[in-house]
Amino acid sequence: HCHGGHGRTGTVAIPLIASLCDIPGERAQSFVVNATKTTRLNDAKKSGTLFDRMDAMPETGAQKRAALWTATAVNERLRGEK
C-alpha cells in the first residue's frame, strides 16, 4: 500500500515546515516537493512512475486540504491571530 512516503508524509511535513519557517502552506508544499525531487532521485530511477508522483505531495486532494488548513491554523495560532 505504501508508495514511498508521499501521502501521509507530505500531510505532516507541510504544516510542520510552514509553522517552523513561518511561511504559507503552499510555499511549504513547494519546498517539500522540490526537496523530494532532489533527494530521492534513486527512487525515481527504480520506479518509472514514482518521479511523476513526486509533484503530488500530498497525494490526495483530502490530504492536501488537510495539510494546507493545518498550516494556516498553526501559523495563525503562533502569531496570536486566533
Side-chain angles (χ1 to χ4, degrees):
H1 87 280
C2 182
H3 296 286
H6 293 275
R8 290 173 289 185
T9 300
T11 303
V12 173
I14 290 165
L16 177 64
I17 291 169
S19 64
L20 290 173
C21 299
D22 192 24
I23 59 175
E26 291 82 1
R27 187 166 169 209
Q29 181 185 17
S30 178
F31 173 82
V32 169
V33 168
N34 288 328
T36 302
K37 280 183 176 181
T38 58
T39 60
R40 296 186 68 179
L41 293 178
N42 286 334
D43 289 344
K45 291 174 187 172
K46 291 177 194 171
S47 168
T49 60
L50 179 61
F51 194 75
D52 295 335
R53 285 189 8 264
M54 286 184 184
D55 284 333
M57 287 186 72
E59 286 182 291
T60 70
Q63 290 171 332
K64 181 178 179 179
R65 287 188 300 276
L68 297 178
W69 181 90
T70 303
T72 299
V74 169
N75 278 345
E76 287 174 351
R77 186 157 207 167
L78 289 172
R79 292 184 196 126
E81 296 172 9
K82 286 193 176 187

Coordinates of all heavy atoms in Angstrom, one line a residue:
H1 N 0.8 -1.2 0.0 CA 0.0 0.0 0.0 C 0.9 1.3 0.0 O 0.4 2.3 -0.4 CB -1.0 0.0 1.2 CG -0.4 0.5 2.5 ND1 0.5 -0.2 3.3 CD2 -0.5 1.8 3.0 CE1 0.8 0.6 4.3 NE2 0.2 1.8 4.2
C2 N 2.0 1.2 0.5 CA 2.9 2.4 0.7 C 3.6 2.7 -0.7 O 4.1 1.9 -1.3 CB 3.9 2.1 1.7 SG 5.0 3.6 2.0
H3 N 3.6 4.0 -1.0 CA 4.2 4.5 -2.2 C 5.4 5.4 -1.9 O 5.6 6.4 -2.5 CB 3.2 5.2 -3.1 CG 2.1 4.3 -3.6 ND1 2.3 3.4 -4.6 CD2 0.8 4.2 -3.2 CE1 1.2 2.7 -4.8 NE2 0.3 3.2 -4.0
G4 N 6.1 5.1 -0.8 CA 7.3 5.8 -0.6 C 7.2 7.1 0.1 O 8.0 8.0 0.0
G5 N 6.2 7.3 1.0 CA 6.1 8.5 1.8 C 5.7 9.7 1.1 O 6.3 10.8 1.2
H6 N 4.6 9.7 0.3 CA 4.1 10.8 -0.4 C 2.8 11.4 0.1 O 2.6 12.6 0.1 CB 4.0 10.5 -1.9 CG 5.3 10.3 -2.6 ND1 6.1 11.3 -3.0 CD2 6.0 9.1 -2.8 CE1 7.2 10.7 -3.5 NE2 7.1 9.5 -3.4
G7 N 2.0 10.5 0.7 CA 0.7 11.0 1.2 C 0.8 11.5 2.6 O 0.7 12.7 2.8
R8 N 0.9 10.6 3.5 CA 0.9 11.0 4.9 C 2.1 11.8 5.3 O 2.0 12.8 6.0 CB 0.8 9.8 5.8 CG -0.6 9.1 5.8 CD -0.6 7.8 6.5 NE 0.2 6.9 5.7 CZ 0.3 5.6 6.1 NH1 -0.3 5.1 7.1 NH2 1.0 4.8 5.3
T9 N 3.3 11.5 4.7 CA 4.5 12.3 4.9 C 4.3 13.7 4.5 O 4.6 14.6 5.3 CB 5.7 11.7 4.2 OG1 5.9 10.3 4.6 CG2 6.9 12.5 4.4
G10 N 3.8 14.0 3.4 CA 3.5 15.3 2.9 C 2.5 16.0 3.8 O 2.6 17.2 4.1
T11 N 1.5 15.3 4.2 CA 0.4 15.8 5.0 C 1.0 16.3 6.4 O 0.5 17.4 6.9 CB -0.7 14.8 5.3 OG1 -1.2 14.3 4.0 CG2 -1.8 15.4 6.1
V12 N 2.0 15.7 6.9 CA 2.6 16.1 8.2 C 3.7 17.1 7.9 O 3.8 18.1 8.7 CB 3.1 14.8 8.9 CG1 3.9 15.3 10.2 CG2 2.0 13.9 9.3
A13 N 4.5 16.9 6.9 CA 5.7 17.7 6.7 C 5.3 19.2 6.3 O 6.0 20.1 6.8 CB 6.6 17.1 5.6
I14 N 4.3 19.3 5.5 CA 3.9 20.7 5.0 C 3.5 21.6 6.2 O 4.1 22.7 6.3 CB 2.8 20.6 4.0 CG1 3.5 20.0 2.7 CG2 2.2 21.9 3.7 CD1 2.5 19.5 1.7
P15 N 2.6 21.2 7.1 CA 2.3 22.2 8.2 C 3.4 22.3 9.1 O 3.6 23.4 9.7 CB 1.1 21.5 8.9 CG 0.8 20.3 8.2 CD 1.7 20.1 7.0
L16 N 4.2 21.3 9.3 CA 5.4 21.4 10.2 C 6.4 22.4 9.7 O 6.8 23.3 10.4 CB 6.1 20.0 10.4 CG 7.3 20.0 11.2 CD1 7.0 20.4 12.7 CD2 8.0 18.7 11.2
I17 N 6.7 22.3 8.4 CA 7.7 23.3 7.8 C 7.1 24.7 7.8 O 7.8 25.6 8.0 CB 8.1 22.8 6.4 CG1 9.0 21.5 6.6 CG2 8.8 23.9 5.6 CD1 9.3 20.8 5.3
A18 N 5.8 24.8 7.4 CA 5.2 26.1 7.4 C 5.2 26.8 8.7 O 5.5 28.0 8.8 CB 3.7 25.9 6.9
S19 N 5.0 26.0 9.8 CA 5.0 26.6 11.1 C 6.4 26.9 11.6 O 6.6 28.0 12.2 CB 4.3 25.7 12.2 OG 4.9 24.5 12.3
L20 N 7.3 26.0 11.4 CA 8.7 26.3 11.8 C 9.3 27.5 11.1 O 10.1 28.2 11.6 CB 9.6 25.0 11.6 CG 9.3 23.9 12.5 CD1 10.1 22.6 12.1 CD2 9.6 24.2 14.0
C21 N 9.0 27.6 9.8 CA 9.6 28.7 9.0 C 8.7 29.9 8.8 O 9.1 30.9 8.2 CB 9.9 28.1 7.6 SG 11.1 26.8 7.6
D22 N 7.5 29.9 9.4 CA 6.5 30.9 9.3 C 6.3 31.4 7.9 O 6.4 32.5 7.5 CB 6.9 32.1 10.2 CG 5.8 33.2 10.3 OD1 4.6 32.8 10.2 OD2 6.1 34.4 10.6
I23 N 5.9 30.3 7.1 CA 5.6 30.6 5.7 C 4.3 30.0 5.3 O 3.8 29.1 6.1 CB 6.7 30.0 4.8 CG1 6.8 28.4 5.0 CG2 8.1 30.6 5.0 CD1 7.8 27.7 4.0
P24 N 3.6 30.4 4.3 CA 2.3 29.9 3.9 C 2.5 28.4 3.5 O 3.5 27.9 3.1 CB 1.9 30.7 2.6 CG 2.8 31.9 2.6 CD 4.1 31.5 3.4
G25 N 1.4 27.7 3.7 CA 1.4 26.2 3.4 C 1.7 25.9 2.0 O 2.4 24.9 1.7
E26 N 1.3 26.7 1.0 CA 1.6 26.5 -0.4 C 3.1 26.6 -0.6 O 3.7 25.8 -1.4 CB 0.9 27.5 -1.3 CG -0.6 27.3 -1.3 CD -1.3 28.0 -0.2 OE1 -0.7 28.6 0.7 OE2 -2.6 27.8 -0.1
R27 N 3.8 27.5 0.1 CA 5.2 27.6 -0.1 C 5.9 26.4 0.5 O 6.9 25.9 0.0 CB 5.7 28.9 0.5 CG 7.2 29.2 0.3 CD 7.5 30.6 0.6 NE 9.0 30.7 0.6 CZ 9.7 31.6 1.3 NH1 9.0 32.4 2.1 NH2 10.9 31.6 1.3
A28 N 5.4 25.9 1.7 CA 6.0 24.7 2.3 C 5.8 23.5 1.4 O 6.6 22.7 1.3 CB 5.3 24.5 3.7
Q29 N 4.6 23.4 0.8 CA 4.3 22.3 -0.1 C 5.3 22.3 -1.3 O 5.9 21.3 -1.6 CB 2.9 22.4 -0.6 CG 2.6 21.2 -1.6 CD 1.2 21.3 -2.2 OE1 0.6 22.3 -2.2 NE2 0.7 20.2 -2.7
S30 N 5.6 23.5 -1.8 CA 6.5 23.6 -2.9 C 7.9 23.1 -2.4 O 8.6 22.4 -3.2 CB 6.6 25.0 -3.4 OG 7.5 25.2 -4.4
F31 N 8.3 23.5 -1.2 CA 9.6 23.1 -0.7 C 9.7 21.6 -0.5 O 10.7 21.0 -0.9 CB 9.8 23.8 0.7 CG 11.0 23.3 1.4 CD1 12.3 23.9 1.1 CD2 11.0 22.3 2.3 CE1 13.4 23.4 1.7 CE2 12.1 21.9 3.0 CZ 13.3 22.4 2.6
V32 N 8.6 21.0 0.0 CA 8.6 19.6 0.2 C 8.7 18.8 -1.1 O 9.5 17.9 -1.3 CB 7.4 19.1 1.0 CG1 7.2 17.6 1.0 CG2 7.4 19.6 2.4
V33 N 8.0 19.3 -2.1 CA 8.0 18.6 -3.4 C 9.4 18.8 -4.0 O 10.0 17.8 -4.5 CB 7.0 19.2 -4.4 CG1 7.2 18.8 -5.8 CG2 5.6 18.9 -3.9
N34 N 10.0 20.0 -4.0 CA 11.3 20.2 -4.6 C 12.4 19.4 -3.8 O 13.3 18.8 -4.4 CB 11.6 21.7 -4.6 CG 10.8 22.4 -5.7 OD1 10.5 21.8 -6.7 ND2 10.5 23.6 -5.5
A35 N 12.3 19.4 -2.5 CA 13.3 18.6 -1.7 C 13.2 17.1 -2.0 O 14.2 16.4 -2.1 CB 13.0 18.9 -0.2
T36 N 12.0 16.6 -2.2 CA 11.8 15.2 -2.5 C 12.4 14.9 -3.9 O 13.1 13.9 -4.1 CB 10.4 14.8 -2.5 OG1 9.9 15.1 -1.1 CG2 10.2 13.4 -2.7
K37 N 12.2 15.8 -4.9 CA 12.7 15.5 -6.2 C 14.2 15.5 -6.2 O 14.8 14.7 -7.0 CB 12.2 16.7 -7.1 CG 10.8 16.5 -7.6 CD 10.5 17.6 -8.6 CE 9.2 17.5 -9.2 NZ 8.9 18.6 -10.2
T38 N 14.8 16.3 -5.4 CA 16.3 16.4 -5.5 C 17.0 15.4 -4.6 O 18.1 15.1 -4.8 CB 16.8 17.8 -5.1 OG1 16.3 18.2 -3.8 CG2 16.3 18.8 -6.1
T39 N 16.3 14.9 -3.6 CA 16.9 14.0 -2.7 C 16.6 12.5 -2.9 O 17.2 11.6 -2.3 CB 16.6 14.3 -1.2 OG1 15.2 14.3 -1.0 CG2 17.2 15.7 -0.8
R40 N 15.6 12.3 -3.7 CA 15.1 10.9 -3.9 C 15.2 10.5 -5.4 O 14.4 9.7 -5.9 CB 13.7 10.7 -3.4 CG 13.6 11.0 -1.9 CD 12.3 10.7 -1.4 NE 12.0 9.2 -1.5 CZ 10.9 8.7 -1.0 NH1 10.0 9.4 -0.5 NH2 10.7 7.4 -1.1
L41 N 16.3 10.9 -6.0 CA 16.4 10.6 -7.4 C 16.6 9.1 -7.6 O 16.2 8.5 -8.7 CB 17.6 11.3 -8.0 CG 17.4 12.8 -8.1 CD1 18.6 13.5 -8.7 CD2 16.2 13.2 -9.0
N42 N 17.3 8.4 -6.7 CA 17.5 6.9 -6.8 C 16.1 6.2 -6.9 O 15.9 5.2 -7.6 CB 18.3 6.4 -5.7 CG 19.8 6.7 -5.9 OD1 20.2 6.9 -7.1 ND2 20.6 6.8 -4.9
D43 N 15.2 6.7 -6.0 CA 13.8 6.1 -6.0 C 13.2 6.3 -7.4 O 12.5 5.4 -7.9 CB 13.0 6.7 -4.9 CG 13.4 6.3 -3.6 OD1 14.1 5.3 -3.4 OD2 13.0 7.0 -2.6
A44 N 13.4 7.5 -7.9 CA 12.7 7.8 -9.2 C 13.3 6.9 -10.3 O 12.5 6.4 -11.2 CB 13.0 9.2 -9.6
K45 N 14.6 6.5 -10.2 CA 15.2 5.7 -11.3 C 14.7 4.2 -11.1 O 14.5 3.5 -12.1 CB 16.7 5.7 -11.2 CG 17.2 7.1 -11.5 CD 18.7 7.1 -11.3 CE 19.2 8.5 -11.5 NZ 20.6 8.7 -11.1
K46 N 14.4 3.8 -9.9 CA 13.9 2.4 -9.7 C 12.5 2.2 -10.2 O 12.1 1.2 -10.6 CB 14.0 2.1 -8.2 CG 15.4 2.0 -7.7 CD 15.3 1.7 -6.2 CE 16.6 1.9 -5.5 NZ 16.6 1.8 -4.1
S47 N 11.7 3.2 -10.1 CA 10.3 3.1 -10.4 C 9.9 4.1 -11.5 O 10.2 5.3 -11.3 CB 9.4 3.3 -9.2 OG 8.1 3.5 -9.6
G48 N 9.4 3.7 -12.6 CA 9.1 4.6 -13.7 C 8.0 5.6 -13.3 O 7.9 6.6 -13.9
T49 N 7.1 5.3 -12.3 CA 6.0 6.2 -12.0 C 6.3 7.1 -10.8 O 5.6 8.1 -10.6 CB 4.7 5.4 -11.8 OG1 4.9 4.6 -10.7 CG2 4.3 4.7 -13.0
L50 N 7.3 6.7 -10.0 CA 7.5 7.5 -8.7 C 7.8 9.0 -9.0 O 7.3 9.8 -8.3 CB 8.6 6.8 -7.9 CG 8.9 7.5 -6.6 CD1 7.7 7.5 -5.7 CD2 10.1 6.8 -5.9
F51 N 8.7 9.2 -10.0 CA 9.1 10.6 -10.2 C 7.9 11.5 -10.6 O 7.8 12.6 -10.1 CB 10.2 10.7 -11.3 CG 10.9 12.0 -11.3 CD1 11.8 12.3 -10.4 CD2 10.6 12.9 -12.3 CE1 12.4 13.6 -10.4 CE2 11.2 14.1 -12.4 CZ 12.1 14.4 -11.4
D52 N 7.0 10.9 -11.4 CA 5.8 11.7 -11.7 C 4.9 12.0 -10.5 O 4.4 13.1 -10.4 CB 4.9 10.9 -12.7 CG 5.6 10.7 -14.0 OD1 6.5 11.5 -14.4 OD2 5.3 9.7 -14.7
R53 N 4.9 11.1 -9.6 CA 4.0 11.3 -8.4 C 4.7 12.3 -7.4 O 4.0 12.8 -6.5 CB 3.8 10.0 -7.6 CG 2.8 9.1 -8.3 CD 2.3 7.9 -7.6 NE 2.8 7.8 -6.2 CZ 3.9 7.1 -5.8 NH1 4.6 6.4 -6.7 NH2 4.2 7.0 -4.6
M54 N 5.9 12.6 -7.5 CA 6.6 13.5 -6.6 C 6.0 14.9 -6.7 O 6.2 15.7 -5.8 CB 8.1 13.5 -6.9 CG 8.8 12.3 -6.4 SD 10.6 12.5 -6.6 CE 11.1 10.9 -6.1
D55 N 5.4 15.2 -7.8 CA 4.7 16.5 -7.9 C 3.5 16.6 -7.1 O 3.0 17.7 -6.9 CB 4.4 16.8 -9.4 CG 5.6 17.2 -10.2 OD1 6.6 17.7 -9.6 OD2 5.7 17.0 -11.4
A56 N 3.0 15.5 -6.7 CA 1.7 15.5 -5.9 C 2.0 15.1 -4.5 O 1.8 13.9 -4.1 CB 0.7 14.5 -6.6
M57 N 2.4 16.0 -3.7 CA 2.6 15.7 -2.3 C 1.8 16.8 -1.5 O 2.1 17.9 -1.7 CB 4.1 15.8 -1.9 CG 4.9 14.6 -2.4 SD 6.5 14.6 -1.8 CE 6.3 14.2 -0.1
P58 N 0.9 16.4 -0.7 CA 0.4 15.0 -0.5 C -0.3 14.5 -1.8 O -0.6 15.2 -2.7 CB -0.6 15.2 0.6 CG -0.4 16.5 1.2 CD 0.3 17.3 0.2
E59 N -0.6 13.2 -1.7 CA -1.1 12.5 -2.9 C -2.6 12.9 -3.2 O -2.9 13.0 -4.4 CB -1.0 11.0 -2.7 CG 0.4 10.5 -2.9 CD 0.5 9.0 -2.8 OE1 0.3 8.5 -1.7 OE2 0.7 8.4 -3.8
T60 N -3.4 12.9 -2.2 CA -4.8 13.1 -2.5 C -5.3 14.6 -2.2 O -4.6 15.3 -1.5 CB -5.7 12.2 -1.6 OG1 -5.6 12.6 -0.3 CG2 -5.2 10.7 -1.8
G61 N -6.4 14.9 -2.8 CA -7.0 16.3 -2.5 C -7.3 16.4 -1.0 O -7.1 17.5 -0.5
A62 N -7.8 15.4 -0.4 CA -8.2 15.5 1.0 C -6.9 15.7 1.9 O -6.9 16.5 2.8 CB -8.9 14.2 1.5
Q63 N -5.8 15.0 1.5 CA -4.6 15.2 2.3 C -4.0 16.6 2.1 O -3.6 17.3 3.0 CB -3.5 14.2 1.8 CG -3.9 12.8 2.3 CD -2.9 11.8 1.7 OE1 -2.4 12.0 0.6 NE2 -2.7 10.7 2.4
K64 N -4.1 17.1 0.8 CA -3.6 18.5 0.5 C -4.4 19.5 1.3 O -3.9 20.4 1.9 CB -3.7 18.7 -1.0 CG -3.2 20.1 -1.3 CD -3.2 20.3 -2.8 CE -2.7 21.7 -3.2 NZ -2.7 22.0 -4.6
R65 N -5.8 19.4 1.3 CA -6.6 20.3 2.0 C -6.3 20.3 3.5 O -6.2 21.3 4.1 CB -8.1 20.0 1.8 CG -8.5 20.4 0.4 CD -10.1 20.3 0.2 NE -10.5 18.9 0.4 CZ -10.5 18.0 -0.5 NH1 -10.1 18.3 -1.7 NH2 -11.0 16.8 -0.3
A66 N -6.1 19.1 4.1 CA -5.8 19.0 5.5 C -4.4 19.6 5.8 O -4.3 20.3 6.8 CB -5.8 17.5 5.9
A67 N -3.4 19.4 5.0 CA -2.1 20.0 5.2 C -2.2 21.5 5.2 O -1.6 22.2 6.0 CB -1.1 19.4 4.2
L68 N -2.8 22.0 4.1 CA -2.8 23.5 4.0 C -3.7 24.1 5.1 O -3.4 25.2 5.6 CB -3.3 23.9 2.6 CG -2.4 23.4 1.4 CD1 -3.0 23.8 0.1 CD2 -1.0 23.9 1.6
W69 N -4.8 23.5 5.4 CA -5.7 24.0 6.5 C -4.9 24.0 7.8 O -4.9 25.0 8.6 CB -6.9 23.2 6.7 CG -7.8 23.7 7.7 CD1 -8.8 24.7 7.6 CD2 -7.8 23.4 9.1 NE1 -9.4 24.9 8.8 CE2 -8.8 24.1 9.8 CE3 -7.0 22.5 9.9 CZ2 -9.0 24.0 11.2 CZ3 -7.2 22.4 11.2 CH2 -8.2 23.2 11.9
T70 N -4.2 22.9 8.1 CA -3.4 22.8 9.3 C -2.3 23.8 9.4 O -2.1 24.5 10.4 CB -2.8 21.4 9.5 OG1 -3.9 20.5 9.5 CG2 -2.1 21.2 10.8
A71 N -1.6 24.0 8.2 CA -0.5 25.0 8.2 C -1.1 26.4 8.5 O -0.5 27.2 9.3 CB 0.1 25.0 6.8
T72 N -2.2 26.8 7.9 CA -2.8 28.1 8.2 C -3.2 28.2 9.6 O -2.9 29.2 10.3 CB -4.0 28.3 7.2 OG1 -3.6 28.2 5.9 CG2 -4.7 29.6 7.5
A73 N -3.9 27.2 10.2 CA -4.3 27.3 11.5 C -3.2 27.4 12.5 O -3.2 28.2 13.5 CB -5.2 26.0 11.9
V74 N -2.1 26.6 12.3 CA -1.0 26.6 13.2 C -0.3 28.0 13.1 O 0.1 28.6 14.2 CB 0.0 25.5 12.9 CG1 1.3 25.6 13.7 CG2 -0.6 24.1 13.3
N75 N -0.1 28.5 11.9 CA 0.6 29.8 11.8 C -0.2 30.9 12.4 O 0.3 31.8 13.1 CB 0.9 30.1 10.3 CG 2.2 29.4 9.8 OD1 3.0 28.9 10.6 ND2 2.3 29.3 8.6
E76 N -1.5 30.9 12.2 CA -2.4 31.9 12.9 C -2.3 31.8 14.4 O -2.2 32.8 15.1 CB -3.8 31.7 12.4 CG -4.1 32.2 11.0 CD -5.5 31.8 10.5 OE1 -6.3 31.1 11.2 OE2 -5.8 32.3 9.4
R77 N -2.3 30.6 14.9 CA -2.2 30.5 16.4 C -0.9 30.9 16.9 O -0.8 31.6 17.9 CB -2.4 29.0 16.7 CG -2.5 28.8 18.2 CD -3.3 27.6 18.5 NE -3.9 27.7 19.8 CZ -4.8 27.0 20.3 NH1 -5.2 26.0 19.6 NH2 -5.2 27.2 21.5
L78 N 0.2 30.6 16.2 CA 1.5 31.0 16.6 C 1.7 32.5 16.6 O 2.4 33.1 17.4 CB 2.6 30.4 15.7 CG 2.8 28.9 15.9 CD1 3.8 28.3 14.9 CD2 3.3 28.6 17.3
R79 N 1.0 33.2 15.7 CA 1.1 34.6 15.5 C 0.1 35.3 16.5 O 0.0 36.5 16.6 CB 0.7 35.1 14.1 CG 1.8 34.7 13.1 CD 1.4 35.2 11.8 NE 2.2 34.6 10.7 CZ 1.7 34.0 9.7 NH1 0.4 34.0 9.5 NH2 2.5 33.4 8.8
G80 N -0.7 34.5 17.2 CA -1.7 35.1 18.1 C -3.0 35.6 17.4 O -3.7 36.4 18.0
E81 N -3.2 35.2 16.2 CA -4.3 35.7 15.4 C -5.6 35.0 15.7 O -6.7 35.5 15.5 CB -4.0 35.6 13.9 CG -2.9 36.4 13.4 CD -2.5 36.2 12.0 OE1 -3.2 35.5 11.3 OE2 -1.4 36.7 11.6
K82 N -5.5 33.8 16.3 CA -6.7 33.0 16.7 C -6.5 32.3 18.0 O -5.4 32.1 18.4 CB -7.1 32.0 15.7 CG -7.8 32.7 14.5 CD -8.4 31.7 13.6 CE -9.2 32.4 12.5 NZ -10.0 31.5 11.7

